[in-house]
């Protein structure tokens, strides 16, 4: 008997014959299957109200609540755009808010993101400018967003008039410390390119595929 049928039969008074082969149980077994189907659908609808689980049209409806268009974005990238736009709406433009916006957008720890103001930079001071560093390149690529598209998200996260001078995306690659070749997981890749460190990247935000940010 289905779970729904068992629950209904269990609620009946003991006056009724509730054994598995009784007519009462047979009737509620049929009704129970329909209840189970409705329950499953309701649970699915409830899950798809979660931005991290919604797909397709339900995801677009969630995006529409904050006027975020899909454009050519996949579901994965659309989730990032929705989270980014919602976080930007709450941002006051402070460094902490920018960090939080990026962290929420990519679902990473804020501790991975470091933003520095450049007005007192020792080598190249620049007013109303910031640079970002620290985010692992592999973690960004895992989201499906290209580095240059990510650069546009960071630019939109900053306060109006603030320039994002550069974005440093960190890798794990390292050279050997001595005369022997590096053989750890952070050195050169093996022949099959299964092991080895990942390269870093420096991004100066520019225009890429036009996402509806």
């Amino acid at each position: 008997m289905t779970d729904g049928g068992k629950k209904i039969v269990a609620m009946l008074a003991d006056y009724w014959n509730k054994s598995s082969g009784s007519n009462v149980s047979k009737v509620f077994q049929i009704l129970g299957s329909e209840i189970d189907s409705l329950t499953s659908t309701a649970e699915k609808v409830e899950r798809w109200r979660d931005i991290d689980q919604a797909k397709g049209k339900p995801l677009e409806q969630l995006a529409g609540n904050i006027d975020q268009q899909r454009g050519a974005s996949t579901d994965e990238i659309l989730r990032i755009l929705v989270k980014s736009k919602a976080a930007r709406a709450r941002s006051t433009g402070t460094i902490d808010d920018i960090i939080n916006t990026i962290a929420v957008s990519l679902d990473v720890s804020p501790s991975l993101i470091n933003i520095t103001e450049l007005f007192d930079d020792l080598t190249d001071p620049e007013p109303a400018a910031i640079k970002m560093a620290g985010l692992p390149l592999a973690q960004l690529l895992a989201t499906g967003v290209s580095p240059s598209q990510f650069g546009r998200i960071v630019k939109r996260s900053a306060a109006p008039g603030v320039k994002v001078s550069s974005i440093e995306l960190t890798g794990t690659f390292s050279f050997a410390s001595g005369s022997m070749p590096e053989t750890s997981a952070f050195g050169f890749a093996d022949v099959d390119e299964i092991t080895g460190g990942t390269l870093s990247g420096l991004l100066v935000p520019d225009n890429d595929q036009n996402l509806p940010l």
Side-chain angles (χ1 to χ4, degrees):
M1 183 181 295
T2 62
D3 290 339
K6 291 178 180 179
K7 291 178 181 178
I8 296 174
V9 171
M11 290 187 290
L12 294 176
D14 291 339
Y15 169 83
W16 299 97
N17 180 4
K18 297 189 284 186
S19 62
S20 60
S22 67
N23 290 334
V24 170
S25 293
K26 291 177 181 178
V27 169
F28 285 111
Q29 181 175 356
I30 298 172
L31 180 60
S33 63
E34 297 299 319
I35 292 177
D36 286 346
S37 178
L38 290 173
T39 300
S40 177
T41 301
E43 290 174 347
K44 185 175 183 180
V45 170
E46 181 65 25
R47 288 195 304 270
W48 279 20
R49 294 178 64 184
D50 180 356
I51 187 66
D52 290 316
Q53 300 187 62
K55 300 178 182 179
K57 190 63 176 181
L59 178 58
E60 292 179 9
Q61 290 174 340
L62 290 176
N65 291 337
I66 58 172
D67 197 27
Q68 173 63 59
Q69 303 301 315
R70 176 187 282 274
S73 307
T74 62
D75 283 352
E76 289 73 19
I77 294 181
L78 181 57
R79 287 192 189 94
I80 292 175
L81 298 182
V82 171
K83 291 179 180 180
S84 174
K85 189 166 187 177
R88 293 200 312 267
R90 299 189 299 267
S91 174
T92 61
T94 65
I95 296 298
D96 286 345
D97 279 351
I98 296 174
I99 291 175
N100 181 67
T101 297
I102 297 170
V104 168
S105 300
L106 301 182
D107 194 22
V108 299
S109 171
S111 63
L112 294 177
I113 302 168
N114 177 44
I115 292 180
T116 305
E117 296 180 270
L118 298 181
F119 68 90
D120 59 351
D121 188 79
L122 296 178
T123 58
D124 188 19
E126 186 175 3
I130 59 175
K131 67 177 181 180
M132 173 186 159
L135 182 68
L137 177 58
Q139 198 149 5
L140 170 63
L141 296 179
T143 66
V145 176
S146 74
S148 51
Q149 289 170 344
F150 174 66
R152 296 191 63 228
I153 291 176
V154 176
K155 286 174 62 176
R156 294 294 296 270
S157 300
V162 174
K163 175 184 176 182
V164 180
S165 179
S166 64
I167 300 173
E168 298 176 18
L169 301 168
T170 61
T172 61
F173 178 82
S174 64
F175 287 103
S177 57
S179 58
M180 296 298 293
E182 179 64 54
T183 58
S184 73
F186 305 112
F188 289 103
D190 59 6
V191 175
D192 297 324
E193 297 186 357
I194 296 176
T195 64
T198 57
L199 297 177
S200 300
L202 177 65
L203 174 67
V204 177
D206 55 7
N207 293 325
D208 191 39
Q209 177 182 343
N210 187 27
L211 294 177
L213 299 175

